[in-house]
């Protein structure tokens, strides 16, 4: 899941738009990456369900991370980030469908979230469990899933752990979410930065923070602190460490401006920005297919007092009403309706 390089270079401008993913490279540092800036899309996702502020911030981070990772897909494909844990936020699901669609949802225990307070940390909200990242590029290619154990760390560190263990690519991720006043109204914003060290020589990609494991008998175990990191990667990490949260979400600091601040001395190049839209994958056909996958008894149990089956999408809150006969695929059944409840 390396970031790669976008095909078309774009001149750096200081005016950048929201809901965009901007690829970049810093060739003297063998660095590739992407910056994401989310505005109306993340505000729609978070306000639709009225999440408590701590849950909204966590889901905003997960959405920014998914956009950074999913946008590496070439052509059509789907990237999904999902957590399943014992914390107050028991599950997060974010879907990125190439080239530009994203949706997200979270399940949480309201009383446990409230008990942690308004400034609850992501690690406390998540708890322990696992984070799964799934890439599905259609029937012609194998489906891939990487899993990271969540043991009290936040999403940034979980992403670092994933790349150390699964792809062994030196990677740094920065994520930020904030609620800001825009036009007299409170609106959610999110941003993120992903950097990867991709030199031409694989030897230069060795990471000091990888566990070297048990040495063979008769050989000393190499202490990980003795394995030097490449100077270019050390410089890149040091620069990334200077990024403050407000720089990732401030509408006055475009992605182009931020990258210029960080890397102008090294000659940063940016490429064509990729737009991002909040859009759900649900449809009447998908709902019918899901209902038909259940047994006859299970479908009968779904029927409400009005004689209909009601299904509400967890992502977009659209409500579908289905006639049981239609769910069985009977010819001539009355067509159902859908209601939008946002």
């Amino acid at each position: 899941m390396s970031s790669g390089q976008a095909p078309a270079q774009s001149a750096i401008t200081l005016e950048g738009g929201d809901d965009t993913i901007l690829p970049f490279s810093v060739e003297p540092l063998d660095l590739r990456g992407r910056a994401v800036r989310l505005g109306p899309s993340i505000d729609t996702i978070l306000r639709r369900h009225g999440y408590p502020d701590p849950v909204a911030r966590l889901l905003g981070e997960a959405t920014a991370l998914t956009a950074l990772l999913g946008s590496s897909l070439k052509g059509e494909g789907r990237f999904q980030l999902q957590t399943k844990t014992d914390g107050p936020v028991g599950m997060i699901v974010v879907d990125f469908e190439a080239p530009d669609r994203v949706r997200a949802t979270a399940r949480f225990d309201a009383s446990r979230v409230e008990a942690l307070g308004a400034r609850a940390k992501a690690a406390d909200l998540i708890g322990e469990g696992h984070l799964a990242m799934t890439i599905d590029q259609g029937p012609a290619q194998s489906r891939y899933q990487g899993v990271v154990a969540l043991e009290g760390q936040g999403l940034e560190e979980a992403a670092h752990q994933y790349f150390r263990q699964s792809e062994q690519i030196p990677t740094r991720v920065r994520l930020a979410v904030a609620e800001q006043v825009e036009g007299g109204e409170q609106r959610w914003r999110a941003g993120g930065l992903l950097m990867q060290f991709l030199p031409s020589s694989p030897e230069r990609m060795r990471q000091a923070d990888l566990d070297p494991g048990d040495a063979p008998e008769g050989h000393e175990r190499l202490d990980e602190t003795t394995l030097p990191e490449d100077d270019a990667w050390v410089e890149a990490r040091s620069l990334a460490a200077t990024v403050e949260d407000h720089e990732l979400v401030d509408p006055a600091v475009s992605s182009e401006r931020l990258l210029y601040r960080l890397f102008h001395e090294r000659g940063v190049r940016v490429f064509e920005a990729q737009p991002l839209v909040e859009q759900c994958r649900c449809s009447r056909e998908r709902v019918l297919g899901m209902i038909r996958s259940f047994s006859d008894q299970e479908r009968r149990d779904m029927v409400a007092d009005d004689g209909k089956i009601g299904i509400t999408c967890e992502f977009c809150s659209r409500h579908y009403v289905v006639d049981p006969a239609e769910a069985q695929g009977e010819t001539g059944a009355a067509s159902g309706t859908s209601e939008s409840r946002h």
Side-chain angles (χ1 to χ4, degrees), residues 17-336:
D18 285 336
D19 296 334
T20 57
I21 303 165
L22 184 69
F24 68 91
S25 71
V26 185
E27 293 181 3
L29 298 179
D30 291 308
L31 200 67
R32 300 289 184 273
R34 290 180 293 277
V36 64
R37 185 64 57 96
L38 303 178
S41 62
I42 196 64
D43 189 63
T44 297
I45 288 171
L46 300 183
R47 293 200 181 281
R48 176 180 286 142
H49 296 285
Y51 293 113
D53 284 1
V55 178
R57 288 194 297 270
L58 180 60
L59 186 57
E61 285 190 6
T63 304
L65 177 59
T66 301
L68 288 169
L69 300 178
S71 56
S72 67
L73 295 176
K74 305 300 181 184
E76 295 185 358
R78 181 184 173 200
F79 177 90
Q80 184 182 82
L81 180 150
Q82 180 173 348
T83 68
K84 187 174 183 181
T85 65
D86 62 3
V89 181
M91 188 176 75
I92 291 173
V93 182
V94 187
D95 278 336
F96 180 93
E97 190 166 5
D100 60 2
R101 291 188 288 177
V102 67
R103 64 177 187 167
T105 188
R107 294 181 186 175
F108 62 96
D109 184 319
S111 60
R112 293 178 66 191
V113 170
E114 184 178 5
L116 287 176
R119 306 307 299 177
K121 295 181 179 179
D124 296 330
L125 291 166
I126 295 171
E128 297 187 359
H130 69 267
L131 166 67
M133 301 184 188
T134 306
I135 300 173
D136 186 350
Q137 294 190 272
Q141 298 190 45
S142 299
R143 187 169 175 265
Y144 169 81
Q145 184 176 80
V147 179
V148 175
L150 293 173
E151 300 171 321
Q153 73 272 48
L155 293 177
E156 284 186 8
E157 179 51 39
H160 297 159
Q161 184 176 338
Y162 166 80
F163 280 101
R164 286 196 301 266
Q165 295 179 350
S166 301
E167 301 201 15
Q168 298 187 10
I169 299 175
T171 302
R172 277 297 178 270
V173 172
R174 286 285 287 107
L175 305 169
V177 180
E179 196 174 19
Q180 297 185 343
V181 177
E182 295 182 14
E185 297 183 2
Q186 295 288 113
R187 298 187 184 278
W188 286 104
R189 300 182 61 82
L193 179 70
L194 177 143
M195 305 187 323
Q196 294 186 308
F197 182 52
L198 297 167
S200 56
S201 169
E203 283 298 307
R204 293 181 60 207
M205 292 176 61
R206 296 179 305 171
Q207 300 180 79
D209 53 356
L210 280 173
D211 187 342
D214 295 328
E217 186 176 352
H219 294 269
E220 289 188 13
R221 186 178 187 272
L222 178 64
D223 188 274
E224 55 194 70
T225 60
T226 67
L227 183 61
E229 289 186 291
D230 191 281
D231 289 343
W233 178 236
V234 172
E235 180 180 342
R237 285 196 297 105
S238 298
L239 291 171
T242 67
V243 177
E244 299 186 19
D245 287 357
H246 71 86
E247 294 180 288
L248 294 170
V249 297
D250 189 341
V253 182
S254 67
S255 294
E256 291 93 335
R257 185 186 293 270
L258 175 59
L259 293 172
Y260 182 77
R261 285 181 181 178
L262 287 174
F263 303 114
H264 68 278
E265 291 185 358
R266 286 295 195 170
V268 61
R269 299 170 62 198
V270 298
F271 302 90
E272 184 176 355
Q274 175 181 327
L276 193 70
V277 296
E278 180 278 323
Q279 185 174 328
C280 192
R281 299 175 64 244
C282 75
S283 67
R284 182 163 190 78
E285 290 71 23
R286 289 178 183 270
V287 169
L288 284 172
M290 181 271 294
I291 296 175
R292 288 167 180 165
S293 69
F294 290 98
S295 68
D296 289 344
Q297 182 58 53
E298 288 171 326
R299 285 198 296 268
R300 284 193 290 270
D301 292 340
M302 294 178 185
V303 178
D305 293 340
D306 61 0
K308 304 292 183 181
I309 298 175
I311 300 291
T312 300
C313 177
E314 287 190 271
F315 289 92
C316 68
S317 298
R318 186 175 296 277
H319 187 70
Y320 295 88
V321 179
V322 178
D323 188 292
E326 185 183 11
Q328 294 175 353
E330 294 183 8
T331 304
S335 59

